[in-house]
Amino acid sequence: MISRRQAGVAGGRALLLLAGLSATAGGVWFGLKRHGAAVTTDQASAAPASAPDTTAPSASAPLIQTDQLTAAFWQQQFDTPKGGQLSLAKAQGKPTLINFWATWCPPCVKEMPELDHFHREFTPKGWAVIGLAIDGPTPVKEFLTKVAVGFDLGLAGFGGTELAQALGNESGGLPFSVMIDAKGKVRHRKMGATHFEELATWARQIG
């Protein structure tokens, strides 16, 4: 039997442990924001990427070489929130916007209508827009009941973090956007929340 005094000591230790874990998490958050990737960066609106391990497909061959996406990149497939598979091959040969996001990332959620605006304006012009969630299927499905998203979404899980890093996301933060031209070359990278006008400007430069 544990005495009241022993229980009190154990409770105090538990509180100290929780406080230590909270401090560590806070350090990771701000550490990532201070040490960003060498890309077009808005670190103030980026959240550190960490999510349940619902691993996405990965390729052994290089996915990118000197900003040029390889065949291995386009061969990747992801489950979708509605069931079925999303193949990146459907975007091959098109100028493409890929956005890495998560439901637990506030700036990701905030920029979602901006991405959907871009989708509505530029998909008729031949663009593809793809969102890859660093998240589990349940929270993504719940999110989609509240926020209308017209572009393709894939469930990349924790494996999506490695894919984002391969595309230039050195800090591992979210949201992270990549704009690719029709020849499969990465033309723009953005760490942190973006908006329609910024995306539209890049798209017009690519043509």
Side-chain angles (χ1 to χ4, degrees), residues 51-52 54 101-105 132-140 154-158 174:
T54 53
W101 69 289
T103 61
W104 43 262
C105 163
L132 294 179
I134 313 298
D135 214 330
T138 299
V140 172
L155 298 169
F158 188 70
L174 291 177

Side-chain angles (χ1 to χ4, degrees), residues 2 5 7 9 14 28 36 49 56 67-68 81 94 111 115 127 135 156 161 164 167 173 176 179 188:
I2 300 174
R5 183 175 180 179
V9 171
V28 172
D67 285 341
Q68 184 68 44
K94 299 179 180 180
E111 76 172 356
L115 299 174
W127 279 75
D135 214 330
T161 303
L167 294 178
F176 178 64
M179 191 166 278
H188 293 281

Side-chain angles (χ1 to χ4, degrees), residues 5-152:
R5 183 175 180 179
Q6 289 174 320
V9 171
R13 289 176 178 172
L15 288 174
L16 287 174
L17 177 60
L18 288 173
L21 290 173
S22 297
T24 301
V28 172
W29 176 281
F30 290 106
L32 283 174
K33 289 165 75 173
R34 291 181 60 186
H35 301 287
V39 297
T40 306
T41 305
D42 180 7
Q43 293 286 18
S45 59
S50 176
D53 188 356
T54 53
T55 306
S58 60
S60 57
L63 301 178
I64 184 170
Q65 295 179 331
T66 317
D67 285 341
Q68 184 68 44
L69 299 178
T70 67
F73 175 85
W74 299 109
Q75 291 169 0
Q76 294 183 97
Q77 296 185 1
F78 302 90
D79 292 335
T80 71
K82 297 180 179 180
Q85 293 280 308
L86 168 64
S87 174
L88 296 186
K90 69 177 298 182
Q92 190 171 9
K94 299 179 180 180
T96 302
L97 171 66
I98 298 179
N99 175 262
F100 293 85
W101 69 289
T103 61
W104 43 262
C105 163
C108 299
V109 173
K110 183 178 180 180
E111 76 172 356
M112 195 61 70
E114 300 291 318
L115 299 174
D116 202 56
H117 185 185
F118 179 84
H119 159 71
R120 294 194 306 271
E121 293 290 332
F122 282 84
T123 296
K125 300 176 183 179
W127 279 75
V129 180
I130 296 174
L132 294 179
I134 313 298
D135 214 330
T138 299
V140 172
K141 291 176 182 178
E142 292 176 350
F143 173 81
L144 294 177
T145 64
K146 303 173 185 177
V147 179
V149 176
F151 53 89
D152 289 326

